[in-house]
Amino acid sequence: LSDFFCCFSLIVAAYYVQQVAFRFKLFECTFVMVNSHFTAGREKLSRRNRDYADIVKNVCFMDTAYCPRTIFDSDVLLFMGDFNYRLEYELEEFKTVQNLISTGQYGKLVERDQLRMTRESSNPRRAFKYLSETGPLNFAPTYKRVPGKFEGYSHKRIPGWTDRIFYYETSVPLLPTRQEFKHISRTPTAFGRGGLANSMAKNPPGSDSSATAGTGASTTPKNPTLSLGVGTSPIHEVSDMYVRLTSE
């Protein structure tokens, strides 16, 4: 890990937007992770949208060259937390919502999800405009459960998906495959800027004795870019490699 920066609690006007943000580099990838708690209350939709805008506008990191970086100045951004966006139902419609949940008709609930409607609005400054959600809402709402019970919701609030995870990514720089990782030098300088590529160039995969002799086998990496799309996760791949590196 290198270039590790963090930013705690952002004060906006007379409100406290509870959030923490981290920025770090792993190999040649820059990651930013933001965890936030937005304003509560179904009727305070505009305040939540402001919470998002304030974070995007005001949270920044100073890199080693004292250059300010926003949360979008990264290869991968994970934006997660209790965003408190609710379903547009009145409390009197609780039984209707409960019946939709019990019959698994989540699609009808999603149609009234405040966050979905915000992201699909025509407002050019809408919240979460450039972010993608990690998966569809094809499971029961997580808010607001009765403490100590596996099933059932509090009758004082309309259920909803308040806790969410979004991401933003550019084309992620080269990361080694599991086979290539075995050939990377364990010296500290191997993971500095350009160090990973230099180490791989000196010790390319399959360069041991006669492993590739006379075969004309290519040493071109198999994954020049990685994506956070369905079925792939560079976060898991990098985390696994980092654990093996530090344990050996």
Side-chain angles (χ1 to χ4, degrees), residues 46-160:
S46 60
R47 176 63 238 179
R48 284 189 283 278
N49 293 337
R50 266 181 56 195
D51 290 344
Y52 172 83
D54 289 338
I55 290 175
V56 171
K57 178 181 178 181
N58 295 299
V59 174
C60 69
F61 306 88
M62 300 299 289
D63 64 14
T64 53
Y66 298 100
C67 179
R69 303 289 185 181
T70 71
I71 62 174
F72 285 99
D73 288 326
S74 58
D75 296 306
V76 177
L77 164 64
L78 291 179
F79 201 130
M80 66 198 85
D82 181 0
F83 299 133
N84 264 313
Y85 286 92
R86 310 299 176 83
L87 296 179
E88 283 292 352
Y89 284 93
E90 298 296 335
L91 191 57
E92 292 75 16
E93 300 177 278
F94 182 89
K95 289 187 177 180
T96 300
V97 175
Q98 194 173 41
N99 289 334
L100 291 174
I101 294 174
S102 61
T103 55
Q105 299 183 63
Y106 306 132
K108 291 186 177 180
L109 296 176
V110 172
E111 291 176 359
R112 296 203 191 183
D113 175 52
Q114 288 182 339
L115 184 47
R116 182 198 68 82
M117 293 188 291
T118 296
R119 296 180 65 227
E120 294 181 0
S121 70
S122 58
N123 186 347
R125 297 184 179 181
R126 59 189 179 275
F128 297 88
K129 176 181 178 180
Y130 298 106
L131 296 169
S132 301
E133 193 155 18
T134 52
L137 299 176
N138 54 5
F139 52 90
T142 55
Y143 174 91
K144 182 180 186 183
R145 294 290 189 172
V146 178
K149 294 185 178 180
F150 181 75
E151 296 182 352
Y153 294 88
S154 169
H155 287 241
K156 297 180 180 180
R157 300 286 189 276
I158 288 292

Side-chain angles (χ1 to χ4, degrees), residues 232-246:
T232 62
S233 176
I235 302 298
H236 294 162
E237 183 76 12
V238 172
S239 174
D240 180 60
M241 290 188 291
Y242 179 69
V243 169
R244 287 189 285 125
L245 169 66
T246 55

Side-chain angles (χ1 to χ4, degrees), residues 36-51:
S36 302
H37 184 272
F38 287 4
T39 303
R42 185 178 69 87
E43 71 285 355
K44 295 183 179 180
L45 174 60
S46 60
R47 176 63 238 179
R48 284 189 283 278
N49 293 337
R50 266 181 56 195
D51 290 344

